[in-house]
Amino acid sequence: MTRASHHLWRPYTQMRTADPPLEAVRTHGSRIVLADGRELIDGIASWWTAVHGYNHPHIAEALSGQLATMPHVMFGGLTHAPAERLAARLAALLPGTLDHVFFTDSGSVAVEVALKMAVQLWLNRGVTGRTRVLAFRGGYHGDTMGAMSACDPEEGMHRRFGAYLPAQVFCDLPRRAAETDALDATLARHREELAAVIVEPLVQGAGGMLMHEPETLATVARLARRHGLPLILDEIFTGFGRTGTLFACEQAGIVPDILCLSKALTGGTLALAATVASREVFEAFLSDDPAAALMHGPTFMANPLACAAANASLDLFETEPRLAQARAIEARLREGLASLAGRPGIAGVRCLGAIGAVEFEAPPDLAGLKRRLVERGVWVRPFGRILYLTPALSVPEADLARLIEETVRAAAEAMNRA
Ligand SMILES: *Cc1c(COP(=O)(O)O)cnc(C)c1O
């Protein structure tokens, strides 16, 4: 099978013109093996999920054990050890009173649940009319309706679907004093209709690997609090070590009211997400009124196989030096990508934890860029004006060196072609 099957509709893909997808048959370490025998070094850990590399034996063992005993059971009215254990461990790892875990099966749905939680929180307190969220330009929170409505308002998908989406309130991240004042004023102006503030801490990932300082995040948290609004942190990309700490919010010393996790939660093996609420949020749903209960419940909620994989992934954060590896990757990325900074055609180079991004001044030929990197054995997925690396935190030194070398070469070539 070298050409795309006509039965598959592919993600974010113009089916008429796109290059056919490559057929993957096997994975190991930080490598993807193709049907024709070629082996690619994965520079993006399968959309930021495979933080321990592929096929880690500890996760595989946990999965096969769970598969034999109970791959799935419904979560309405039943519970099971993998979910109980995972929720308790997440609560222990997360700061503050983020102790109440609602499991779903994708990041977008975790965001939907967070938004519904915030809206219903006000209703449960007897306050009506608070149905909008304040979100930030450059953000990305998922592809479902509510999540999409909180994505950057100028981004293609949002513009296309504008009429279909609930209208949210947007601000720039408060990197400077003027933006802080603007955010403060916007929060004051819309206070009576806002249910929450949502932000990706430290890095806006799919929006362009846009980074901000911990102080900026602390400012968002401070202003949300000043205006009495719950803060939702979307740690779907940043969670589990990607920025050098287990969770990005730790670097700003802040605790949100609601926090979303997914992507690396199961170490890149199965679909699972979590929306974690503080004690205060959770308690607003405790009532004698059945209608005050959180009105959500996915069929495959807290799938035991996925929870077993997530527990095994958390084991690996305890037994293997993932955070030290993330910080070591940051140092290598900074050093390795530095030669691109300031070159004509390059708008900037940004690194944080195991994230290294090169931004071009103009959109490069993305398909050509990707094709040349594949020819040299590297798997990446540049988008817009961004070529980036987010390898497995456990990526072997030699593979990381190749990733950086080929990224620098491809970026330099892309500028020469422009
Ligand atoms: C990927 C991502 C999502 C959406 O997750 P899906 O599992 O693709 O639905 C939401 N927020 C952030 C920050 C993400 O990176």
Side-chain angles (χ1 to χ4, degrees):
M1 188 186 79
T2 52
R3 293 211 65 87
S5 151
H6 292 291
H7 299 292
L8 281 173
W9 202 337
R10 305 190 51 77
Y12 309 116
T13 301
Q14 175 43 258
M15 298 299 292
R16 184 199 282 269
T17 55
D19 284 348
L22 304 171
E23 190 186 356
V25 290
R26 225 154 25 84
T27 51
H28 66 96
S30 53
R31 306 290 183 98
I32 300 169
V33 183
L34 301 181
D36 61 12
R38 282 182 295 166
E39 197 163 301
L40 304 180
I41 304 174
D42 186 352
I44 55 169
S46 270
W47 265 336
W48 323 333
T49 61
V51 280
H52 314 290
Y54 293 111
N55 308 31
H56 196 291
H58 181 67
I59 300 181
E61 198 184 321
L63 277 172
S64 51
Q66 190 60 43
L67 185 63
T69 52
M70 185 171 68
H72 183 64
V73 69
M74 66 183 283
F75 209 57
L78 296 172
T79 192
H80 49 78
E84 295 281 351
R85 181 149 182 265
L86 179 58
R89 293 175 84 182
L90 291 174
L93 291 168
L94 287 163
T97 67
L98 288 166
D99 288 346
H100 302 278
V101 183
F102 191 93
F103 287 116
T104 53
D105 29 36
S106 78
S108 299
V109 176
V111 170
E112 295 291 337
V113 169
L115 298 176
K116 279 173 76 174
M117 230 180 230
V119 168
Q120 200 182 340
L121 173 72
W122 291 102
L123 295 175
N124 284 359
R125 290 175 177 163
V127 180
T128 54
R130 287 177 171 268
T131 54
R132 302 175 76 183
V133 290
L134 186 133
F136 292 94
R137 293 197 184 89
Y140 174 81
H141 298 288
D143 292 353
T144 52
M145 190 166 166
M148 191 163 58
S149 76
C151 294
D152 183 275
E154 295 305 317
E155 191 266 340
M157 195 161 66
H158 198 292
R159 233 182 305 135
R160 265 247 120 102
F161 287 98
Y164 170 66
L165 299 178
Q168 311 298 10
V169 179
F170 291 96
C171 273
D172 291 321
L173 277 165
R175 289 181 170 92
R176 289 179 289 267
E179 291 155 344
T180 303
D181 293 345
L183 175 59
D184 196 20
T186 305
L187 285 167
R189 192 160 61 247
H190 292 278
R191 181 157 36 186
E192 301 306 316
E193 51 177 353
L194 287 174
V197 173
I198 185 167
V199 67
E200 292 163 272
L202 302 192
V203 195
Q204 295 175 307
M209 298 294 162
L210 305 167
M211 295 165 189
H212 57 265
E213 295 296 323
E215 295 76 59
T216 300
L217 180 59
T219 300
V220 172
R222 182 168 51 79
L223 291 181
R225 180 128 313 151
R226 176 188 293 171
H227 292 278
L229 289 169
L231 176 65
I232 303 170
L233 288 191
D234 180 348
E235 290 240 17
I236 291 167
F237 171 43
T238 54
F240 304 104
R242 182 55 64 188
T243 67
T245 47
L246 195 57
F247 303 106
C249 63
E250 295 167 28
Q251 295 182 41
I254 63 152
V255 184
D257 301 281
I258 301 172
L259 183 140
C260 300
L261 297 168
S262 187
K263 293 249 157 62
L265 177 55
T266 64
T269 55
L270 283 161
L272 184 68
T275 307
V276 189
S278 69
R279 188 182 310 144
E280 197 184 338
V281 170
F282 180 74
E283 284 176 354
F285 290 76
L286 302 181
S287 160
D288 295 328
D289 177 6
L294 179 62
M295 289 299 172
H296 208 95
T299 306
F300 279 95
M301 176 169 187
N303 170 254
L305 260 185
C307 290
N311 276 309
S313 176
L314 290 184
D315 294 343
L316 294 174
F317 277 96
E318 289 170 8
T319 57
E320 299 187 5
R322 288 292 171 268
L323 302 182
Q325 288 170 331
R327 290 188 288 266
I329 291 170
E330 175 171 344
R332 293 283 294 106
L333 287 171
R334 276 188 196 287
E335 170 191 30
L337 300 179
S339 66
L340 289 170
R343 285 217 213 164
I346 298 286
V349 174
R350 301 188 280 273
C351 301
L352 178 67
I355 308 164
V358 179
E359 180 172 340
F360 298 94
E361 274 164 9
D365 163 22
L366 293 176
L369 191 59
K370 217 173 103 176
R371 215 177 299 129
R372 283 191 298 283
L373 279 156
V374 164
E375 276 161 19
R376 294 170 195 154
V378 165
W379 179 245
V380 289
R381 200 174 157 87
F383 62 94
R385 293 184 290 132
I386 306 291
L387 173 61
Y388 73 94
L389 294 173
T390 50
L393 304 183
S394 59
V395 62
E397 172 57 33
D399 281 5
L400 181 59
R402 276 279 307 288
L403 287 173
I404 293 171
E405 184 189 322
E406 296 298 350
T407 297
V408 169
R409 185 167 152 199
E413 284 173 3
M415 287 178 309
N416 292 339
R417 277 160 202 267

